[in-house]
Amino acid sequence: MINWQFTLHPDHTINLDTNDRTLARLLEEKEPTSRICMACGSCGGTCTAAQFEPVSFRHILLMVRRGETESVRSELTKCMYCGKCTLVCPRGVNTRHILALLRTMLIN
Amino acid sequence: MHTRKHILVIGGGVAGMESAIHLCDMGYEVTLIEKQDQLGGHVLKWDFLFPDHRPAYEITNELCPAVEEKATIKLQTEVKNIVRQNGHFEVALSDGEKLTADALLVATGFDLFDAHKKEEYGYGIYDNVITAAELEERFQNKIPIRTAAGKKPARVGFVHCVGSRDEKVGNEYCSKVCCVTAVKQAMRVRESLPGCEVFCFYMDLRMFGRYFEDLYREAQEKWGVQFIRGRLSEAAEDIDQRIIVKLEDTLAGRPLRMAVDLLVLLTGFVPSEGTRRMATMLNLPLGNDRFIKPSDEHLRRNLTPVPGVFVTGASAGPRSISESISDARAAALEIAAWFNNSSQHAI
Ligand code: SF4
Ligand code: SF4
Ligand code: SF4
């Protein structure tokens, strides 16, 4: 193979024109509270797993809603479904249900 | 009182009208001058008000006839010159008339920031970039929301903080009401164009007032308005006249780009031309935001250091209609208190 002396970087930009946001729409149908997160971060702050692994429900939901689904696959596997995030959410987002749905839709 | 004290109210927006009504009710003689050909000010151009969506004309329908009945109104009139003499103000008006006033109330308000100055957002360059005031005019005149080419937009973006919180344009302050205005308008766009996606690009959502947070939640929950945190860095037009916006999605920590069919700029408040002129003419101190600075920001919000000169409404900084109305009543009381105190000492 020819060595061109450079590599191609994948685009780091979130492109809302090309990203596929079908999953976010499906999620809104199945769990309408996925629309009302206000990104306060209480969920990530209290998360049992986040002490040891990079996981934040806020981030997972945000990336799914932006159509950046691939980037949260591994983050999703770190969740232990303890439900603490649901307990603390000040907006009443059904976080645990969303996590379970995403797991079914993306991993299982 | 052997002669009635005469107060000149400068500016016929909601603040000026509300103060004039209350000063008349307290027995003072009031002349109100307005440079436009009708009373009402900015509220005339709004279709409906936050947070309850009531029609804006309800405000002017109540205030205009009341003030017309009680005060002397002079339209299309401005102040030309003011001279202080023996504790009075000799005021020359633009129509040649001269009058004597015992006190002046500056209610000259704000102008909207000129969006052309924020060139990187393309206002005046691209046809599909409009201001929130222009969108409101379309609501008011029942003009359907369409792109410049007459198509139904599939995506509308709202840009917060245009000309506010921005040293680049010399306005470091927050204009206070544009966040809730964006949310209000975003909901209306979704309501009138059900298939259209609506995005708000914001740095902070300042939903400070009563029921404003409810609006934010309703915008997300009921209308599916999407909020993206980040300030637009630029807007450009593509070959189809769509507007490509670029910003950092600061919650994701990554750059974001997308096309919208219509981009609405939430232009902020700047001191109106009239406010600047009155401040210069009367030597009134200004805050670092260039709005008039009252003598005490907590206790004397309508008093200025110049004896007999008072200030109300948005000439003393960005505020909502309901805040301007409360402030205008406070100004009327402040003026009455000043007359009462000064008559004890002087003369
Ligand atoms: S349910 Fe998952 S994301 Fe939520 S707190 Fe527990 S481990 Fe963290
Ligand atoms: S706690 Fe609730 S509102 Fe806050 S970031 Fe998490 S999901 Fe969103
Ligand atoms: S109210 Fe909101 S949009 Fe207006 S200047 Fe303040 S932060 Fe920006």
Side-chain angles (χ1 to χ4, degrees):
Chain A
M1 199 170 137
I2 307 166
N3 183 358
W4 295 102
Q5 299 289 321
F6 65 83
T7 53
L8 284 176
H9 283 278
D11 194 340
H12 190 55
T13 304
I14 299 174
N15 189 330
L16 287 194
D17 298 333
T18 50
N19 278 9
D20 179 3
R21 289 181 292 144
T22 329
L23 188 69
R25 290 199 191 102
L26 221 67
L27 196 60
E28 283 190 18
E29 273 167 37
K30 292 191 192 265
E31 183 46 71
T33 64
S34 65
R35 280 178 162 193
I36 59 172
C37 169
M38 59 173 172
C40 71
S42 297
C43 46
T46 200
C47 175
T48 335
Q51 289 178 47
F52 312 105
E53 303 271 10
V55 44
S56 148
F57 173 79
R58 176 195 68 76
H59 184 250
I60 292 171
L61 181 60
L62 177 76
M63 294 321 255
V64 169
R65 286 176 63 78
R66 297 283 182 267
E68 294 282 331
T69 319
E70 285 312 307
S71 68
V72 296
R73 248 178 227 281
S74 85
E75 209 175 329
L76 260 179
T77 62
K78 308 291 191 292
C79 167
M80 307 179 294
Y81 303 96
C82 69
K84 273 180 83 182
C85 45
T86 309
L87 290 178
V88 297
C89 176
R91 267 284 172 105
V93 178
N94 197 341
T95 58
R96 195 168 173 278
H97 186 216
I98 292 169
L99 287 160
L101 284 170
L102 287 175
R103 177 136 192 153
T104 322
M105 296 193 277
L106 276 174
I107 296 165
N108 296 349
Chain B
M1 242 190 274
H2 46 281
T3 52
R4 288 206 296 162
K5 298 284 189 194
H6 179 212
I7 300 143
L8 175 65
V9 178
I10 306 155
V14 287
M17 289 195 288
E18 180 75 10
S19 286
I21 291 167
H22 285 272
L23 287 165
C24 291
D25 288 347
M26 288 190 270
Y28 296 109
E29 191 189 335
V30 177
T31 303
L32 185 151
I33 62 167
E34 163 59 41
K35 72 168 177 193
Q36 300 298 334
D37 58 6
Q38 62 174 321
L39 293 172
H42 288 275
V43 74
L44 290 171
K45 296 195 188 126
W46 294 101
D47 182 38
F48 64 108
L49 306 178
F50 58 77
D52 55 1
H53 307 273
R54 77 184 292 186
Y57 64 73
E58 287 183 13
I59 304 292
T60 41
N61 279 3
E62 183 162 331
L63 295 185
C64 296
V67 74
E68 278 161 3
E69 188 198 312
K70 296 170 189 206
T72 307
I73 313 286
K74 291 176 71 65
L75 298 173
Q76 288 177 296
T77 308
E78 287 180 78
V79 170
K80 267 254 161 341
N81 191 36
I82 301 171
V83 184
R84 271 187 84 92
Q85 232 159 33
N86 315 324
H88 302 297
F89 298 96
E90 301 295 333
V91 185
L93 300 178
S94 54
D95 60 359
E97 196 188 323
K98 286 192 163 47
L99 49 84
T100 307
D102 299 290
L104 303 176
L105 178 60
V106 179
T108 39
F110 69 99
D111 286 336
L112 286 169
F113 172 79
D114 176 7
H116 291 96
K117 291 186 183 163
K118 198 75 192 148
E119 207 182 344
E120 56 271 45
Y121 293 168
Y123 180 76
I125 305 170
Y126 312 129
D127 294 340
N128 286 317
V129 179
I130 64 170
T131 64
E134 288 163 352
L135 179 63
E136 194 78 23
E137 236 177 286
R138 295 192 195 181
F139 292 149
Q140 198 184 45
N141 297 316
K142 314 262 175 295
I143 301 170
I145 310 306
R146 297 288 181 267
T147 65
K151 282 194 288 204
K152 267 190 188 175
R155 261 186 193 172
V156 175
F158 285 85
V159 188
H160 291 229
C161 303
V162 178
S164 304
R165 306 176 72 193
D166 187 354
E167 272 187 37
K168 287 270 183 295
V169 297
N171 300 339
E172 293 160 38
Y173 52 89
C174 164
S175 291
K176 208 174 178 183
V177 298
C178 12
C179 271
V180 62
T181 301
V183 171
K184 175 199 92 167
Q185 293 189 331
M187 289 161 74
R188 177 59 65 90
V189 169
R190 282 283 295 162
E191 197 181 356
S192 54
L193 294 168
C196 177
E197 278 195 297
V198 175
F199 296 84
C200 286
F201 307 108
Y202 71 100
M203 294 195 282
D204 303 283
L205 275 179
R206 299 193 162 171
M207 308 308 267
F208 65 94
R210 193 174 184 196
Y211 311 124
F212 292 6
E213 190 67 19
D214 301 344
L215 276 193
Y216 170 31
R217 187 184 171 121
E218 189 189 326
Q220 289 181 304
E221 194 164 33
K222 183 167 174 197
W223 302 107
V225 175
Q226 305 197 47
F227 291 85
I228 300 185
R229 198 183 81 183
R231 185 182 194 112
L232 226 66
S233 61
E234 59 184 285
E237 196 182 59
D238 73 4
I239 193 163
D240 304 314
Q241 277 199 309
R242 301 187 84 198
I243 306 297
I244 313 291
V245 299
K246 284 186 184 173
L247 66 153
E248 183 184 328
D249 182 335
T250 59
L251 290 171
R254 283 172 56 187
L256 182 144
R257 59 173 282 152
M258 65 189 294
V260 296
D261 300 296
L262 202 60
L263 191 67
V264 183
L265 308 182
L266 272 296
T267 53
F269 282 36
V270 294
S272 70
E273 198 257 316
T275 295
R276 282 182 282 140
R277 235 159 44 82
M278 293 316 300
T280 315
M281 209 179 266
L282 293 162
N283 227 343
L284 301 173
L286 304 177
N288 61 359
D289 55 7
R290 305 183 312 284
F291 288 93
I292 293 168
K293 189 177 161 67
S295 297
D296 184 315
E297 298 279 4
H298 295 95
L299 297 167
R300 295 277 176 271
R301 288 169 60 82
N302 303 103
L303 196 71
T304 76
V306 182
V309 178
F310 298 83
V311 62
T312 187
S315 39
R319 53 193 60 168
S320 68
I321 290 168
S322 34
E323 287 172 330
S324 277
I325 287 181
S326 314
D327 184 73
R329 293 189 184 191
L333 274 183
E334 191 77 71
I335 293 172
W338 184 77
F339 280 139
N340 291 342
N341 288 335
S342 48
S343 65
Q344 284 166 16
H345 318 299
I347 318 170

